[in-house]
Amino acid sequence: ARQLLHLLNVGISFWWNDEGETDYFTYFYWNIAQVQALRATNSSPTATHRRFFSLNRAFTPGLARLGGAVWTGDIDPSWEDLRRTPGLMLNYALAGAPYVACDIGGYSGETQAELLTRWMQVGVFMPIMRVHSWLWARPHWPWLFEDTAATAMREALELRYRLIPYHYSLAHGMFDR
């Protein structure tokens, strides 16, 4: 935890744990060390009392209790992966990981305007709306697609912002119980 303090002191506000999770214990202790580092900074007299949040490629039991979330891993920009994603995310929630994200639009490869639009519309209702792709794909920014798709994506994002109090209430309820 001491080795992470300087990162928190320069403004890191959450952790993105990707790759390197060789086994349960290594991965579990990454999150524990990150929580302990944050608690150490929160205990100083000038602390801003930040909440812990980490986004993780792999799932470990109890991760949500710490403030951690998981994403489903790299998925393809395909209608099949879009079809499977909601059920996969529900399975994570049933296993004890209610904060789940996916790579909206698909990670590896080029997505199409209609596919990305539909994925954004589904993503509005996901616990974490995470749009992500690899470096070699066209970024999944609405304005890079035709006007019809961009408008539909913007409307989906506007709905997501209106639902933020709902998502926060659910998250607080999970934390509080």
Side-chain angles (χ1 to χ4, degrees):
R2 284 190 314 267
Q3 295 170 329
L4 302 173
L5 287 175
H6 73 283
L7 296 171
L8 291 166
N9 290 331
V10 297
I12 296 293
S13 59
F14 76 94
W15 304 99
W16 182 2
N17 299 319
D18 188 9
E19 305 292 344
E21 55 276 356
T22 56
D23 58 53
Y24 167 80
F25 294 103
T26 301
Y27 189 70
F28 176 76
Y29 286 114
W30 279 359
N31 281 274
I32 294 297
Q34 293 161 354
V35 167
Q36 289 173 346
L38 185 64
R39 286 182 183 154
T41 62
N42 283 346
S43 66
S44 80
T46 60
T48 57
H49 296 284
R50 296 175 288 179
R51 292 178 292 173
F52 176 74
F53 181 76
S54 68
L55 182 60
N56 304 275
R57 176 183 287 268
F59 167 72
T60 59
L63 187 63
R65 184 182 62 229
L66 297 173
V70 66
W71 85 92
T72 59
D74 299 343
I75 52 180
D76 292 325
S78 70
W79 290 100
E80 180 61 23
D81 276 358
L82 171 58
R83 185 191 65 76
R84 286 193 306 232
T85 296
L88 178 61
M89 293 176 79
L90 286 172
N91 284 337
Y92 270 99
L94 289 171
Y99 270 147
V100 187
C102 72
D103 295 333
I104 289 176
Y107 176 75
S108 52
E110 288 293 334
T111 193
Q112 302 303 314
E114 184 182 4
L115 176 62
L116 181 57
T117 300
R118 296 295 178 232
W119 217 312
M120 288 250 196
Q121 291 167 335
V122 170
V124 164
F125 304 100
M126 293 178 179
I128 298 173
M129 187 175 186
R130 177 175 180 260
V131 181
H132 182 61
S133 65
W134 67 358
L135 180 62
W136 302 277
R138 173 173 42 167
H140 296 169
W141 299 327
W143 59 87
L144 294 179
F145 294 86
E146 68 249 13
D147 289 344
T148 305
T151 298
M153 286 186 252
R154 187 187 72 244
E155 289 170 355
L157 292 168
E158 289 169 351
L159 176 57
R160 175 64 182 208
Y161 275 98
R162 289 194 307 274
L163 290 173
I164 283 178
Y166 167 76
H167 286 284
Y168 276 26
S169 295
L170 289 176
H172 182 72
M174 181 191 71
F175 169 78
D176 205 33
R177 290 184 187 98

